[in-house]
Amino acid sequence: MARVVVLGAGVSGHTAASFLRRWLPKKDEVVVVSPLATYNWIPSNIWVGVGRMEASQVVFPLQPVYDRMNITFHQAKAKSIHPEGNQESSAPYILVERTDEGHEGSEEKIEYDYLINATGPKLNFGVTEGLGPHGGHSWSVCTPEHATQAASAFAESIERMKRGEKQIFLVGTGHGTCTCQGAAFEYIVNLEFELRRHKVRDKADIVWISNEYELGDFGMGGLHLKQGGYITHSKVFTESIFAERGIMWIKRAHTASVAPDRVHYERLDGTFGEEEFDFAMLLPPFRGVGLEGFDKQGQSITDKLFMPNGFMKVDADYSKKSYDDWAASDWPQTYQNPDYDSIYSVGIAFAPPHAISRPTVSPNGTPVSPAPPRTGMPSATMAKVVARNIADRILGKQCPPHTASMADMGAACVASGGAGFLDGSAAAIIVYPIIPDFERFPQYGRDLKHTFGEIGLAGHWIKNLLHHVFMYKAKMKPGWHMLPE
Amino acid sequence: MKHERQKTAEYFASQPTGVTLFFRKFLPWQIIRFIFINMKMMGLIWVSHRECRKKSH
Ligand SMILES: Cc1cc2nc3c(=O)[nH]c(=O)nc-3n(C[C@H](O)[C@H](O)[C@H](O)COP(=O)(O)OP(=O)(O)OC[C@H]3O[C@@H](n4cnc5c(N)ncnc54)[C@H](O)[C@@H]3O)c2cc1C
């Protein structure tokens, strides 16, 4: 009998656990450790954050699903990994701290044969003074709770505007090294859509602030699309969406601090600025969740398992290279830790080998460029491949490992531009490969046959459909495994 | 309100024409686009699987 422990029940951890359960015989145990009792379909938090959905529509309790599927669930937070066991036993284990009601804080040891780290990001609000809803002055939509708080502040602003007051809305990135610009982009266009729906658009100034060098970078250097007889960079489309909706923008900006009514920021050219707001939704930068590693003697091996940013080392090429020297082949294929081959890491938790967007630093030494994103589709795809490889190893199959490099994989992303069955819209974006490969596609790094973007009502239908399909799939209802990642 | 840095940026950005805006909401056209985009997405999944499979064997 083998035991596979999955840390995290987000997009990647939940996918890995579901497929492991499907592919492993009953005698093998699949264990999920996650601090929250619920699963959250994060992309739909955007709609919670503008009051278009309730938090209850984007979450569901994990325990009943796991009970039905014969997956063991520990509501707990992983603290440390002990891949060599300890002095009493060489069985690898993790140490967890329970978070379920009545047992908060108590520690437990869980042994494993295989471990998947899918713990996602730590929302690092602390790096920017005044950032975030926990004692700061800006809102977030990263969790259902954050999105609910943002929605009530947004509703309050709408009420003020209905009474004739003017409001300034500021949306974007809360630090120079943020990723996930796509989520902030969705939020700002949804916010604008809702203001029109509430007939208060004329009372609002809407401003985008971002660390991107150009709009439409999204942490992946943007993308080129064939459209209207031209090959056009996503900058053109993003600027066009903002201009069409009267959204002003500040780019190449590191948000340095957030005061109750304004942000102070540094520009890439080293100058400083400030922007007032009545309502701000600023995403935090991400880092690893802070897991530690210990060897048999109890000595720290955290730096062997993790990069300094807290993300886990996998089979990527982490050698120091200049940006111009990186290759698509530097990106991981099997997501296996190089020192401990029974440990894998998927989704946001694995350490990317380098940035995709060109790193830039202000004359004051402040980095102002996006970190690489790892969106839902690649996170789930790599999780499925890791599950396959672990299942093959347990079942004793003699075959080379399956791979899922982000340089071989495409991603589809549908960025909502307003929720409404007949008047909504979304930008449907398909990019292949995610990591530009200038050896295979010398001009733009991407295959323009499979890289595509379009704005329209159809995109909104797809976005809405994806919400229901992925909630269905995550609940592991009949036929779930046939639905694409 | 003063937005000295971006007042002009909007002016330089491309903007959709009335026809583009109309087709973005025109139901018969959007139904066709719905099918087309879904097919594009299936194509992407297929090509991603093909490339990953190549590496695995
Ligand atoms: C607002 C927003 C909108 C987005 N919209 C889109 C979109 O439209 N399309 C798209 O493709 N992507 C989108 N993304 C990105 C997408 O959500 C991520 O790619 C995806 O969630 C990554 O999955 P993950 O499993 O790595 O991390 P997560 O989904 O964040 O899951 C991490 C899991 O680990 C758990 N965990 C944390 N710490 C520990 C610990 N110590 N021990 C055990 N478990 C732990 C967490 O509770 C959680 O269950 C969006 C992101 C945000 C924030």
Side-chain angles (χ1 to χ4, degrees), chain A residues 249 275 408 410 432 454 458, chain B residues 3 6 30 33 48 51 55:
Chain A
W249 62 88
E275 187 68 30
D408 294 325
Y432 176 82
E454 180 167 316
Chain B
H3 282 292
Q6 291 308 344
Q30 288 302 316
R33 300 314 290 167
S48 300
E51 285 307 313
K55 291 260 166 82

Side-chain angles (χ1 to χ4, degrees), chain A residues 168 205 207 236 239-240 243-244 246-251 265 267 275 333 377 400-405 408-412 414 422-425 428 430-432 440 449-450 452 454-459 461-462 465 484, chain B residues 1-16 20-21 23-57:
Chain A
I168 305 172
D205 280 324
V207 185
V236 174
E239 286 183 353
S240 163
E244 177 197 339
I247 298 171
M248 291 161 276
W249 62 88
I250 303 166
K251 59 187 180 184
Y265 63 91
R267 300 184 188 93
E275 187 68 30
Q333 312 242 359
M377 188 171 166
H402 299 261
T403 64
S405 166
D408 294 325
M409 209 194 285
V414 186
L422 293 178
D423 60 350
S425 79
I430 295 170
V431 54
Y432 176 82
R440 284 166 67 203
K449 270 205 313 279
H450 294 287
F452 160 88
E454 180 167 316
I455 304 164
L457 182 57
W461 295 338
I462 295 171
L465 186 71
Chain B
M1 220 195 66
K2 266 209 325 250
H3 282 292
E4 81 289 335
R5 52 190 190 272
Q6 291 308 344
K7 270 234 160 83
T8 53
E10 266 181 88
Y11 174 77
F12 289 108
S14 309
Q15 295 240 26
T20 306
L21 290 175
F23 276 104
R24 280 186 194 166
K25 300 268 150 75
F26 184 51
L27 271 184
W29 179 240
Q30 288 302 316
I31 291 168
I32 296 168
R33 300 314 290 167
F34 178 79
I35 298 165
F36 178 80
I37 298 169
N38 274 297
M39 280 164 54
K40 273 274 191 199
M41 287 184 174
M42 297 315 282
L44 173 88
I45 293 169
W46 184 80
V47 77
S48 300
H49 278 290
R50 188 192 59 193
E51 285 307 313
C52 292
R53 255 203 321 267
K54 261 198 229 160
K55 291 260 166 82
S56 318
H57 298 295

Side-chain angles (χ1 to χ4, degrees), chain A residues 79 115 138 144 163 262 295 313 349 388 399 426 449:
Chain A
K79 291 182 72 183
L115 181 73
S138 59
R163 292 199 297 267
R262 68 195 60 219
D295 68 7
K313 290 182 189 170
R388 179 81 265 171
C399 55
K449 270 205 313 279

Side-chain angles (χ1 to χ4, degrees), chain A residues 394-449:
Chain A
I394 292 173
L395 298 171
K397 284 196 187 162
Q398 301 294 323
C399 55
H402 299 261
T403 64
S405 166
M406 282 169 65
D408 294 325
M409 209 194 285
C413 192
V414 186
S416 169
F421 191 73
L422 293 178
D423 60 350
S425 79
I429 299 164
I430 295 170
V431 54
Y432 176 82
I434 302 167
I435 308 299
D437 186 340
F438 289 95
E439 279 162 32
R440 284 166 67 203
F441 310 107
Q443 216 173 350
Y444 301 109
R446 304 242 164 70
D447 183 346
L448 297 193
K449 270 205 313 279

Side-chain angles (χ1 to χ4, degrees), chain A residues 48-49 132-134 138-140 143-155 279:
Chain A
V48 177
H134 306 288
S138 59
W139 304 108
S140 149
T143 69
E145 295 74 30
H146 289 176
T148 305
Q149 292 167 348
S152 58
F154 180 52
F279 171 103

